[in-house]
Amino acid sequence: QCAFDLYAKKQTLIEDCKKKFAMLRQELGSFHSSWVLATGPSIDEFSNFDFSSSLVIACNSTILDDNIWEKCSPRIIVFADPIFHFGVSEYAGEFRRALEKRLSSSSVVVIVPFKYYPLLIDVFPDYVNQIIGVPFEKRDFNIDIEREFYVRTTSNILTLLLMPLAACFSNEINLLGCDGRPIDNDEYFWGHGSSVQINDKMQNIQDVHPGFFNIDYNEYYFEHCHTLEALILYIEGLGKNVRHRAYSHIPALLVRSDGYKKDPSELFVLI
């Protein structure tokens, strides 16, 4: 944070990123549908779907799974966590090695919060043209990112970057891997798919950053559910559709999931 606050060329870099995003928008064009690939357990069902005519936006440690990348061909990868992706732990180091593998073997574009952009291009100078930093601000939701180059500050990658980008490029937004969790299973944020977590480094990252994990997970979860509900209603208000293509415990996604039959007992009340 100190390095970012003292960085003297922020505005110049923001303009560079804005130009790169406009070029990406021109290159990709608009899609009828997009896919958002997150890391919850239902990501293991990716082989059941056809991604060929859609824009695929993936996040975080989906970069670990070669099968996901071969079948789904993500054009955009996003991540934003200060310790899992930009930190000093062995976990973060392993993540960045996997990221470099994707950058070197494909034309995938990395989009991160601008706060981390100077750090990332310093680590990966050979891939500056494949990396874009988007400013995040405490303002209204924004999906017209090319016109107003910012996203709203939120605490989760789904609401911060994944869905705003998907809504920017398409009208039909399909989600997979946004499973949430049962409300009483509150020992961690939520579960992850079998192939999209660096399991052998989880103890290491908790040892390096113990304070990060010393939180009320339900408080975080409730806030995320509230924010996601508000964002989806905003997106739908603009005439776009959102569907989660597997079961989700998150109320806003449960009622928009494949095969959902209305049953109030399935929903918890957010106060």
Side-chain angles (χ1 to χ4, degrees):
Q1 182 65 52
C2 291
F4 179 74
D5 289 343
L6 295 170
Y7 196 81
K9 300 179 180 179
K10 285 197 282 285
Q11 194 56 46
T12 299
L13 289 187
I14 288 174
E15 291 302 318
D16 290 343
C17 287
K18 185 176 182 179
K19 291 176 183 176
K20 284 193 284 187
F21 188 83
M23 292 174 61
L24 177 67
R25 188 77 173 82
Q26 183 176 12
E27 176 191 346
L28 295 179
S30 297
F31 289 78
H32 172 68
S33 66
S34 61
W35 279 86
V36 165
L37 303 183
T39 59
S42 68
I43 191 61
D44 293 342
E45 301 177 26
F46 74 90
S47 59
N48 298 330
F49 301 98
D50 178 15
F51 304 90
S52 58
S53 61
S54 302
L55 173 66
V56 179
I57 306 172
C59 79
N60 300 354
S61 48
T62 54
I63 61 174
L64 299 172
D65 192 316
D66 291 335
N67 293 323
I68 289 176
W69 279 73
E70 181 178 350
K71 178 174 175 60
C72 307
S73 300
R75 295 300 308 274
I76 299 172
I77 177 76
V78 303
F79 49 91
D81 193 280
I83 71 161
F84 282 93
H85 308 133
F86 303 100
V88 298
S89 68
E90 292 176 1
Y91 185 108
E94 190 70 23
F95 174 84
R96 290 191 292 270
R97 281 188 287 273
L99 174 63
E100 185 171 21
K101 173 184 174 182
R102 300 302 174 194
L103 286 168
S104 65
S105 61
S106 72
S107 59
V108 68
V109 172
V110 172
I111 300 182
V112 296
F114 181 76
K115 177 180 178 179
Y116 304 116
Y117 176 76
L119 177 63
L120 203 59
I121 61 173
D122 187 63
V123 174
F124 296 119
D126 294 337
Y127 305 105
V128 171
N129 292 332
Q130 290 173 253
I131 302 173
I132 299 173
V134 179
F136 54 97
E137 302 179 9
K138 294 181 179 181
R139 297 170 58 187
D140 294 337
F141 290 120
N142 175 42
I143 65 169
D144 193 354
I145 301 171
E146 185 178 359
R147 184 174 66 88
E148 291 193 84
F149 193 56
Y150 82 93
V151 290
R152 179 177 177 172
T153 303
T154 71
S155 61
N156 185 271
I157 192 65
L158 180 60
T159 50
L160 179 67
L161 283 171
L162 281 172
M163 290 193 63
L165 286 168
C168 178
F169 283 94
S170 69
N171 289 321
E172 302 284 338
I173 303 166
N174 301 286
L175 300 100
L176 194 64
C178 307
D179 300 46
R181 59 170 171 80
I183 199 67
D184 56 353
N185 186 11
D186 60 352
E187 296 180 357
Y188 193 60
F189 295 102
W190 37 64
H192 293 274
S194 59
S195 63
V196 291
Q197 182 67 286
I198 308 174
N199 293 306
D200 64 331
K201 302 297 184 184
M202 282 300 297
Q203 186 59 52
N204 165 261
I205 198 169
Q206 292 184 45
D207 291 342
V208 174
H209 301 282
F212 181 86
F213 300 92
N214 185 24
I215 66 169
D216 185 326
Y217 290 110
N218 271 343
E219 181 178 346
Y220 175 88
Y221 187 46
F222 287 173
E223 178 189 350
H224 172 53
C225 290
H226 272 299
T227 304
L228 181 58
E229 174 80 30
L231 176 57
I232 291 175
L233 291 175
Y234 171 78
I235 290 172
E236 291 177 336
L238 297 174
K240 300 173 184 285
N241 296 314
V242 177
R243 295 172 64 197
H244 194 265
R245 303 303 301 271
Y247 182 85
S248 176
H249 294 280
I250 298 173
L253 297 183
L254 174 59
V255 299
R256 295 170 175 86
S257 63
D258 285 1
Y260 171 70
K261 295 181 180 180
K262 189 172 183 180
D263 179 358
S265 67
E266 294 180 296
L267 304 178
F268 62 80
V269 177
L270 297 177
I271 301 175

